[in-house]
Amino acid sequence: MRLIFSLMAFLSALPCHAQKANVWNHKQCAVVLTYDDAIDADLDNALPVLDSLGLKATFYLIGSSPVVANRMELWRKAALHGHELGNHSLFHPCDGSLPGRSFVQADYDLSKYTVNRAVAEIRINNTLLQAIDGKTKRTFAYPCGDLTIKDSFFYAGLRNDFVAARGVRSALDSIEKVNLDNIDCFGINGQTAEQMIALVQKAMSTHTLLVFLFHGVGGGHALNVGLKEHSLLLHFLKDHEREIWIAPMVEVAEYINTYRILP
């Protein structure tokens, strides 16, 4: 009798395990590649290798960046090829009152903003991005990972404007635990391909969401990853597409929303 009960318990656990293992669009895990700040390296270094492999990513654009104004047609082309143009605010305001924030310009010190100003500027950037790509659904990324103005969580006034928002905390989350108001990610700065691939393998074994946060790729930013290291990571992802779902943040966030709504 004990053997029968043990066998029944084992068999009943199998469907649950299979569902967990394939919950990410029938894949073992999900990986989102995000690139911040709208810099030339996005278009010159990251985009060509992504397109050569048929991988889709999210580029978080600062509306006031000259790289948006001067290379708008290339951003439009990227969107037409399936990449997401995400919102990284109009002026990239950060909280200058925090330690290590001497780089924050006085005009764009988030600690001096009102919530209304922050919300208005982010919505203006949405209008700009819609003029570029014609889309009304996208995600947001917090500049510097700052969530609040004094004690106010300013994104609360923007939930209806976005599918989700990406933060900067490093963690791998199951589909049930992803916080769509502050999606976790791993900031990359000098890591080797082996280190980044190890993160992917960890996500595969734990059936979780892995979001990469890149700035410079092969230069162009103080936070940087080498061209070769970046390319090796992307080739690993391409080689394992049967096990890994690679998609822009907006698609993954919409999928999570649908997963939670369905019985």
Side-chain angles (χ1 to χ4, degrees), residues 17 20-21 28-29 172 198-208 243-244:
H17 175 77
K20 180 181 178 183
Q28 292 180 16
C29 69
L172 296 170
L199 285 173
V200 178
Q201 292 169 329
K202 181 68 173 177
M204 293 170 71
S205 66
T206 56
H207 313 302
T208 49
E243 300 91 9
I244 305 167

Side-chain angles (χ1 to χ4, degrees), residues 31-53:
V31 171
V32 179
L33 302 162
T34 69
Y35 301 80
D36 281 17
D37 293 357
I39 61 176
D40 285 315
D42 291 340
L43 297 170
D44 297 334
N45 297 339
L47 196 57
V49 66
L50 286 164
D51 285 345
S52 72
L53 296 172

Side-chain angles (χ1 to χ4, degrees), residues 150-228:
K150 298 182 174 63
D151 294 327
S152 298
F153 178 50
F154 65 84
Y155 182 75
L158 291 162
R159 284 195 182 101
N160 292 334
D161 297 83
F162 296 100
V163 178
R166 195 215 66 205
V168 298
R169 192 190 72 153
S170 298
L172 296 170
D173 295 311
S174 67
I175 197 167
E176 296 86 3
K177 293 186 178 180
V178 174
N179 179 0
L180 292 174
D181 283 354
N182 186 19
I183 298 173
D184 294 325
C185 70
F186 284 81
I188 300 302
N189 184 25
Q191 283 90 335
T192 65
E194 289 78 11
Q195 289 171 319
M196 293 186 288
I197 289 169
L199 285 173
V200 178
Q201 292 169 329
K202 181 68 173 177
M204 293 170 71
S205 66
T206 56
H207 313 302
T208 49
L209 170 63
L210 168 59
V211 180
F212 283 103
L213 164 54
F214 297 104
H215 288 86
V217 175
H221 199 285
L223 305 174
N224 184 61
V225 65
L227 273 177
K228 181 181 179 182

Side-chain angles (χ1 to χ4, degrees), residues 6-203:
S6 298
L7 181 60
M8 289 175 63
F10 172 75
L11 291 173
S12 66
L14 283 178
C16 181
H17 175 77
Q19 184 180 21
K20 180 181 178 183
N22 296 285
V23 72
W24 296 104
N25 202 22
H26 309 291
K27 306 289 180 71
Q28 292 180 16
C29 69
V31 171
V32 179
L33 302 162
T34 69
Y35 301 80
D36 281 17
D37 293 357
I39 61 176
D40 285 315
D42 291 340
L43 297 170
D44 297 334
N45 297 339
L47 196 57
V49 66
L50 286 164
D51 285 345
S52 72
L53 296 172
L55 301 178
K56 310 304 178 186
T58 294
F59 294 90
Y60 284 112
L61 272 56
I62 303 169
S64 61
S65 168
V67 181
V68 173
N70 297 334
R71 309 186 72 178
M72 194 171 292
E73 285 305 315
L74 289 176
W75 292 116
R76 183 171 288 119
K77 184 178 179 181
L80 287 172
H81 285 174
H83 302 287
E84 178 191 3
L85 303 186
N87 190 323
H88 203 31
S89 79
L90 190 60
F91 297 112
H92 200 279
C94 296
D95 189 338
S97 69
L98 297 176
R101 294 290 180 83
S102 59
F103 63 88
V104 176
Q105 298 179 40
D107 288 342
Y108 306 121
D109 184 342
L110 191 65
S111 69
K112 304 297 195 297
Y113 269 51
T114 64
V115 170
N116 285 342
R117 178 184 173 186
V119 168
E121 289 183 359
I122 292 165
R123 284 180 174 156
I124 290 170
N125 201 37
N126 259 2
T127 301
L128 170 62
L129 294 174
Q130 185 178 353
I132 297 172
D133 63 17
K135 298 179 181 180
T136 57
K137 290 184 179 180
R138 68 186 81 250
T139 59
F140 175 70
Y142 299 94
C144 296
D146 295 336
L147 308 178
T148 60
I149 299 172
K150 298 182 174 63
D151 294 327
S152 298
F153 178 50
F154 65 84
Y155 182 75
L158 291 162
R159 284 195 182 101
N160 292 334
D161 297 83
F162 296 100
V163 178
R166 195 215 66 205
V168 298
R169 192 190 72 153
S170 298
L172 296 170
D173 295 311
S174 67
I175 197 167
E176 296 86 3
K177 293 186 178 180
V178 174
N179 179 0
L180 292 174
D181 283 354
N182 186 19
I183 298 173
D184 294 325
C185 70
F186 284 81
I188 300 302
N189 184 25
Q191 283 90 335
T192 65
E194 289 78 11
Q195 289 171 319
M196 293 186 288
I197 289 169
L199 285 173
V200 178
Q201 292 169 329
K202 181 68 173 177

